[in-house]
Amino acid sequence: MAVLRTILFTVFSVFFIHSNARAQEDVTIVTGDLETWSRIGLDLKLNKKWSMGIDQQIRLKHNSSLIDQILTDIDVKYKLSKQFYFGAAIRYIENPI
Protein backbone atom coordinates (compact mmCIF):
# COMPACT_ATOMS: atom_id res chain seq x y z
CA MET A 1 0.00 0.00 0.00
CA ALA A 2 2.85 2.39 0.81
CA VAL A 3 4.47 1.70 -2.56
CA LEU A 4 1.21 2.39 -4.40
CA ARG A 5 0.75 5.62 -2.43
CA THR A 6 4.32 6.71 -3.30
CA ILE A 7 3.80 5.96 -6.99
CA LEU A 8 0.49 7.87 -7.09
CA PHE A 9 2.01 10.82 -5.24
CA THR A 10 4.93 10.93 -7.70
CA VAL A 11 2.67 10.77 -10.77
CA PHE A 12 0.37 13.51 -9.50
CA SER A 13 3.30 15.68 -8.41
CA VAL A 14 4.93 15.49 -11.84
CA PHE A 15 1.62 16.28 -13.54
CA PHE A 16 0.89 19.33 -11.37
CA ILE A 17 4.45 20.68 -11.56
CA HIS A 18 4.41 20.33 -15.35
CA SER A 19 0.99 21.97 -15.73
CA ASN A 20 1.93 24.85 -13.39
CA ALA A 21 5.21 25.41 -15.22
CA ARG A 22 3.33 25.80 -18.50
CA ALA A 23 0.73 28.09 -16.93
CA GLN A 24 3.43 30.61 -16.00
CA GLU A 25 4.06 31.40 -19.68
CA ASP A 26 0.88 33.51 -19.99
CA VAL A 27 1.09 37.28 -20.12
CA THR A 28 -0.18 39.08 -17.01
CA ILE A 29 -2.03 42.37 -17.44
CA VAL A 30 -1.96 44.62 -14.39
CA THR A 31 -4.93 46.91 -13.77
CA GLY A 32 -5.63 49.44 -11.05
CA ASP A 33 -9.02 47.97 -10.10
CA LEU A 34 -9.77 46.72 -6.58
CA GLU A 35 -11.84 43.54 -6.74
CA THR A 36 -13.36 41.81 -3.72
CA TRP A 37 -14.37 38.15 -3.44
CA SER A 38 -16.40 37.13 -0.40
CA ARG A 39 -17.55 33.62 0.48
CA ILE A 40 -19.70 32.01 3.14
CA GLY A 41 -20.41 28.30 3.34
CA LEU A 42 -22.05 25.58 5.36
CA ASP A 43 -20.96 21.93 5.51
CA LEU A 44 -23.27 19.30 6.97
CA LYS A 45 -22.36 15.74 7.89
CA LEU A 46 -25.58 13.77 7.41
CA ASN A 47 -24.20 10.48 8.76
CA LYS A 48 -20.89 8.54 8.71
CA LYS A 49 -20.94 8.15 4.92
CA TRP A 50 -22.85 11.15 3.53
CA SER A 51 -22.10 14.86 3.71
CA MET A 52 -23.24 17.93 1.82
CA GLY A 53 -22.35 21.58 1.57
CA ILE A 54 -23.51 24.88 0.20
CA ASP A 55 -21.39 27.95 -0.57
CA GLN A 56 -22.43 31.46 -1.58
CA GLN A 57 -19.93 33.83 -3.18
CA ILE A 58 -20.16 37.42 -4.31
CA ARG A 59 -17.52 39.03 -6.50
CA LEU A 60 -17.29 42.80 -6.75
CA LYS A 61 -15.46 44.91 -9.36
CA HIS A 62 -14.76 48.57 -10.20
CA ASN A 63 -13.10 49.29 -6.86
CA SER A 64 -15.61 47.00 -5.11
CA SER A 65 -18.60 49.15 -6.04
CA LEU A 66 -20.39 46.92 -8.60
CA ILE A 67 -21.46 43.28 -8.39
CA ASP A 68 -19.56 41.24 -10.97
CA GLN A 69 -20.86 37.73 -10.21
CA ILE A 70 -22.96 35.88 -7.66
CA LEU A 71 -22.12 32.18 -7.35
CA THR A 72 -23.90 29.37 -5.53
CA ASP A 73 -22.25 25.93 -5.09
CA ILE A 74 -24.01 22.82 -3.80
CA ASP A 75 -22.11 19.57 -3.29
CA VAL A 76 -22.78 16.06 -2.01
CA LYS A 77 -20.11 13.55 -0.96
CA TYR A 78 -20.21 9.83 -0.22
CA LYS A 79 -17.33 8.30 1.72
CA LEU A 80 -16.22 5.04 0.10
CA SER A 81 -13.31 4.39 2.50
CA LYS A 82 -10.91 6.37 4.68
CA GLN A 83 -9.05 7.70 1.62
CA PHE A 84 -11.68 7.83 -1.12
CA TYR A 85 -14.78 9.95 -1.61
CA PHE A 86 -17.30 10.06 -4.42
CA GLY A 87 -18.97 13.40 -4.90
CA ALA A 88 -20.95 15.64 -7.18
CA ALA A 89 -21.33 19.40 -7.25
CA ILE A 90 -23.28 21.99 -9.16
CA ARG A 91 -22.59 25.72 -9.53
CA TYR A 92 -25.05 28.44 -10.48
CA ILE A 93 -23.50 31.70 -11.73
CA GLU A 94 -25.44 34.93 -12.05
CA ASN A 95 -23.93 37.86 -13.93
CA PRO A 96 -26.11 40.85 -13.00
CA ILE A 97 -24.47 43.27 -15.42
Side-chain angles (χ1 to χ4, degrees), residues 31-44:
T31 62
D33 187 18
L34 173 67
E35 295 181 349
T36 306
W37 291 14
S38 301
R39 175 185 171 268
I40 188 165
L42 177 67
D43 290 322
L44 298 172

Side-chain angles (χ1 to χ4, degrees), residues 52-55 72-76 88-91:
M52 67 178 295
I54 185 166
D55 291 331
T72 304
D73 296 326
I74 299 173
D75 65 85
V76 177
I90 188 167
R91 173 177 273 185

Side-chain angles (χ1 to χ4, degrees), residues 44-53 75-80 85-88:
L44 298 172
K45 188 170 184 179
L46 303 174
N47 57 32
K48 289 183 179 183
K49 298 267 185 186
W50 288 94
S51 64
M52 67 178 295
D75 65 85
V76 177
K77 293 181 199 169
Y78 179 75
K79 186 176 181 179
L80 296 171
Y85 286 89
F86 177 76

